[in-house]
Amino acid sequence: MPLVRHVGILTGGGDCPGLNAVIRAVVKSAILDHGLRVTGFLDGFAGLLEDRRCELSFDDVSNILTQGGTILGASNRDNPFRVPIHGPDGVRHEDHSDRAAETLERHGVDALITLGGDGTLSIADRFARKGVPVIGVPKTIDNDLSETDVTFGFDSARAIATEALDRLHTTAASHHRILVLEVMGRNAGWIALEAGIAGGGDVILIPEIPFHYESLRESILRRTRRGRRSSLVVVAEGTPSPGGGSVVRKLVEGSHEPVRLGGIGSVVAGELENLLPFEVRYVVLGHLQRGGSPTPLDRILGTRFGVAALRAAVDGAWGTMPALQGDRIVRVPLADAVARLKTVDPEGERVAVARSVGVVFGDERRL
Ligand code: F6P
């Protein structure tokens, strides 16, 4: 077993509630359980490339459990394996991963704990394959990493989206409107599906289930015939518009996943207003879903993941990630976690349950 004395930690990708809970757990358990030093690298992999860091003491992580964001800063565009170099002939990309690994060696860091989603953990996996001592921790509001039942951050985002639906219900009902809520989740429909069930959405549109406007129109008119004068529609940002594909908001150069989705809420609202005799409005929840204090579940999960990640580092279990399976925290290979996106099963139990309580997905043929 390798002797680990000094642990590094960084937070990559988009921020989310629970990052500070993991940082706190790593630092406290490093100091209390193992007597180790911890260095935080700032702004994700940029901190490794540019050698920007800070020592993390017990006091530094006191009182951060409930704070959203990350005390280390984050970046979702710095990939050491593909650094953009701007020259007279345009932009080319270079592999600077050796430089990043040298930063660890120069400071005697024996293990690097990387908190991130699909993009960050794919980079972490590449470092592990190069022989860099890396452990991952599964973070993302999108809940789209394989091998773990859930990622930390998802529960908080789901709670915020649910509360948004609760609030939209009242205006939809008072004004007899259709209200469309666009939520994040990239190409997975977890936030839309689960917040939609929890918040009593009437229509849930997700990337995994192609929808048709005619089907939506019929469903909403049928609700009207039953005396329902308002409807709530939840749409995941990655849901393709029928015949039009995903709605892209912008492209971010240098990002592992450059496409930023957004805009399907307004497209759906516009189409529904043309098809139905109702006033239709839309709300884009955006980064509100990533902000604020983590839920108790994310605080607990983040703490469990942090302690488990530190334990994996002490054991020299490089290239692994703690994962929640059932009620147990287990170690899984990073490569397996990022091998494929975990998306909603259109034939799965959650979708079936939603249909059983009358939720419409827009793919219904016979109404
Ligand atoms: O992966 C988390 C996430 O919030 C996605 O749900 C969303 O598509 C993306 O990040 C937004 O990224 P940015 O903050 O760069 O716009």
Side-chain angles (χ1 to χ4, degrees):
M1 199 183 293
L3 184 57
V4 172
R5 294 195 191 87
H6 185 181
V7 175
I9 181 168
L10 63 80
T11 52
D15 70 335
C16 81
L19 282 164
N20 286 326
V22 180
I23 296 169
R24 170 182 176 270
V26 166
V27 173
K28 288 198 168 184
S29 107
I31 295 169
L32 292 177
D33 292 339
H34 307 282
L36 307 180
R37 253 180 88 191
V38 184
T39 289
F41 290 93
L42 306 180
D43 302 334
F45 287 111
L48 265 193
L49 284 169
E50 297 158 14
D51 198 358
R52 290 188 288 112
R53 65 194 189 285
C54 62
E55 189 94 4
L56 290 171
S57 71
F58 204 88
D59 283 350
D60 291 324
V61 297
S62 291
N63 296 320
I64 65 167
L65 177 62
T66 60
Q67 278 176 31
T70 158
I71 60 165
L72 295 176
S75 161
N76 56 7
R77 57 173 76 198
D78 294 286
N79 178 355
F81 291 90
R82 204 175 136 75
V83 175
I85 308 291
H86 297 264
D89 302 329
V91 184
R92 61 193 167 80
H93 293 89
E94 287 181 358
D95 180 350
H96 288 195
S97 57
D98 286 341
R99 178 154 65 90
E102 278 157 25
T103 304
L104 296 175
E105 281 168 27
R106 194 162 51 250
H107 299 292
V109 176
D110 312 301
L112 178 69
I113 296 179
T114 52
L115 282 52
D118 176 47
T120 302
L121 296 187
S122 297
I123 295 169
D125 180 46
R126 285 187 74 176
F127 273 117
R129 287 167 198 272
K130 272 173 80 87
V132 177
V134 172
I135 306 290
V137 182
K139 167 239 71 161
T140 168
I141 64 165
D142 306 337
N143 196 31
D144 59 359
L145 278 170
S146 292
E147 298 298 315
T148 185
D149 293 352
V150 71
T151 52
F152 77 85
F154 171 65
D155 186 57
S156 303
R158 179 177 57 186
I160 295 161
T162 302
E163 193 197 337
L165 283 171
D166 292 348
R167 290 175 185 275
L168 290 175
H169 253 300
T170 54
T171 302
S174 306
H175 291 267
H176 316 304
R177 287 178 181 163
I178 298 173
L179 281 178
V180 178
L181 177 68
E182 177 184 312
V183 298
M184 285 183 166
R186 235 186 262 278
N187 294 308
W190 293 108
I191 299 176
L193 176 62
E194 299 212 356
I197 294 172
D202 304 300
V203 176
I204 300 177
L205 305 177
I206 57 176
E208 296 86 346
I209 303 180
F211 75 94
H212 313 283
Y213 285 112
E214 192 51 32
S215 170
L216 290 189
R217 192 181 85 93
E218 287 304 313
S219 306
I220 292 171
L221 287 176
R222 193 168 60 140
R223 281 174 56 73
T224 313
R225 288 196 291 274
R226 288 181 181 159
R228 303 278 181 275
R229 298 175 65 197
S230 65
S231 292
L232 274 188
V233 178
V234 194
V235 57
E237 63 179 1
T239 308
S241 179
S246 299
V247 184
V248 174
R249 181 164 44 86
K250 67 185 286 194
L251 295 173
V252 178
E253 195 206 315
S255 178
H256 182 83
E257 171 49 86
V259 174
R260 294 293 181 275
L261 298 163
I264 183 71
S266 113
V267 173
V268 168
E271 291 286 340
L272 290 182
E273 197 151 53
N274 287 337
L275 291 171
L276 291 160
F278 296 109
E279 191 174 352
V280 187
R281 300 288 182 89
Y282 70 93
V283 173
V284 179
L285 202 49
H287 292 91
L288 287 174
Q289 288 155 102
R290 298 213 316 235
S293 196
T295 58
L297 193 149
D298 276 335
R299 296 179 199 185
I300 296 166
L301 187 61
T303 303
R304 293 174 77 190
F305 278 159
V307 170
L310 200 276
R311 181 82 245 176
V314 170
D315 291 346
W318 312 129
T320 69
M321 165 191 107
L324 183 73
Q325 294 185 356
D327 193 39
R328 292 178 54 235
I329 302 286
V330 299
R331 266 178 213 167
V332 300
L334 269 176
D336 292 354
V338 298
R340 60 171 186 87
L341 277 192
K342 183 185 72 182
T343 52
V344 172
D345 176 2
E347 308 300 328
E349 185 256 357
R350 280 175 179 74
V351 171
V353 160
R355 290 194 200 272
S356 292
V357 296
V359 171
V360 165
F361 287 88
D363 62 338
E364 294 77 9
R365 302 211 180 282
R366 216 167 26 82
L367 295 166

